[in-house]
Amino acid sequence: MKDNHRQEGYGLRIVLMLLGLFLCALGSVITMRANLGFVPWNVFHQGIHNVTGITIGTANTLVGVCILCIDLLLRERIGLGSICNMLLIGPFTDFVIWTDLLPTMDTWYTGLLMLVAGMMVVGFGTYLYIRSQFGAGPRDSLMVATARKTHFKPGYCRIAIEATVTLLGFFMGGPVGLGTLIGAFGQGLCLQLIFQLTRFKPTEIRHENFVDLWRNLKGGQAAGKKIG
């Protein structure tokens, strides 16, 4: 499990990583358009927007920087995927909001369907970019690190983390509703479901940090010269 996906080649892995990050942003906006209250991290980001005036995407990026520092203290492996997650999901989110292509639901049952759809899109996007093994994003690295430390399942660790940020976002005026409660528990469960359906174990993945990336690319170039 640890190195199987690296045989796919860097080109495909980068495509999977970028697709996964875009799906995370798209799914996040889908949950917003459900109009049942934002899911936990977006409650926190909207709360920061309320206090500072910066966009939700910019808040997403700045929070990612802070969490990345915590991940480093917990000795998580930081790689290309970690940095791309931190830098790209925020702009992707602002872009999807800017296009205004997603409708806002006006009934609770259509909103519930959209909320679940958004959480599943986020979960699948998370699976894709973690699978690329370039390093999990700041929030997911925190989830994996917490799972390693506590020996609880990653999805359950995510529930605990997101319940905490929801409370913080609420005190800053973030929109909390039925969708927030469902998101606090449902996103972790959706993620755990996808991991189980794909037989994917994120705690067993050895992510490629920047040192590994340099060595592997250098080794590939040396092999190419020998063949030539």
Side-chain angles (χ1 to χ4, degrees):
M1 176 67 73
K2 292 182 181 180
D3 299 305
N4 289 345
H5 298 308
R6 292 190 186 177
Q7 297 174 2
E8 295 171 338
Y10 279 105
L12 178 57
R13 287 171 57 199
I14 288 174
V15 169
L16 290 175
M17 178 187 68
L18 294 177
L19 176 60
L21 294 177
F22 181 77
L23 288 177
C24 286
L26 176 63
S28 178
V29 179
I30 291 174
T31 63
M32 294 182 198
R33 293 293 189 259
N35 199 28
L36 293 176
F38 287 5
V39 294
W41 281 109
N42 287 335
V43 173
F44 189 46
H45 300 151
Q46 181 66 44
I48 293 174
H49 164 75
N50 293 344
V51 173
T52 66
I54 62 177
T55 68
I56 292 178
T58 301
N60 187 312
T61 300
L62 293 177
V63 170
V65 172
C66 295
I67 297 176
L68 190 67
C69 293
I70 297 174
D71 295 334
L72 288 170
L73 292 175
L74 293 174
R75 299 184 180 180
E76 281 299 298
R77 297 175 66 84
I78 303 303
L80 179 64
S82 310
I83 302 302
C84 287
N85 179 296
M86 182 179 67
L87 296 179
L88 295 181
I89 287 187
F92 282 161
T93 300
D94 284 340
F95 172 75
V96 176
I97 293 174
W98 174 78
T99 63
D100 201 27
L101 296 176
L102 295 170
T104 299
M105 298 296 99
D106 55 7
T107 62
W108 71 266
Y109 50 89
T110 57
L112 182 60
L113 290 173
M114 198 161 189
L115 178 66
V116 173
M119 291 191 297
M120 290 300 292
V121 171
V122 171
F124 189 66
T126 301
Y127 158 70
L128 286 180
Y129 84 77
I130 292 180
R131 181 180 182 271
S132 71
Q133 295 182 255
F134 282 120
R139 294 162 185 80
D140 293 304
S141 289
L142 182 60
M143 173 190 69
V144 173
T146 304
R148 286 200 182 105
K149 297 290 186 182
T150 63
H151 304 292
F152 288 115
K153 291 184 177 180
Y156 301 151
C157 292
R158 181 164 186 154
I159 290 172
I161 293 168
E162 293 191 345
T164 301
V165 298
T166 298
L167 186 62
L168 293 174
F170 173 74
F171 285 122
M172 292 187 289
V176 175
L178 176 62
T180 309
L181 179 62
I182 295 173
F185 295 94
Q187 186 63 77
L189 294 175
C190 286
L191 188 61
Q192 192 62 42
L193 175 62
I194 290 172
F195 286 165
Q196 290 178 349
L197 290 175
T198 57
R199 298 182 180 179
F200 182 70
K201 297 180 180 179
T203 55
E204 293 184 2
I205 291 292
R206 185 180 186 276
H207 285 286
E208 190 173 78
N209 61 21
F210 286 108
V211 174
D212 295 331
L213 178 62
W214 170 252
R215 287 174 179 169
N216 290 336
L217 290 175
K218 190 175 180 181
Q221 290 175 352
K225 290 179 180 179
K226 289 180 181 180
I227 294 174

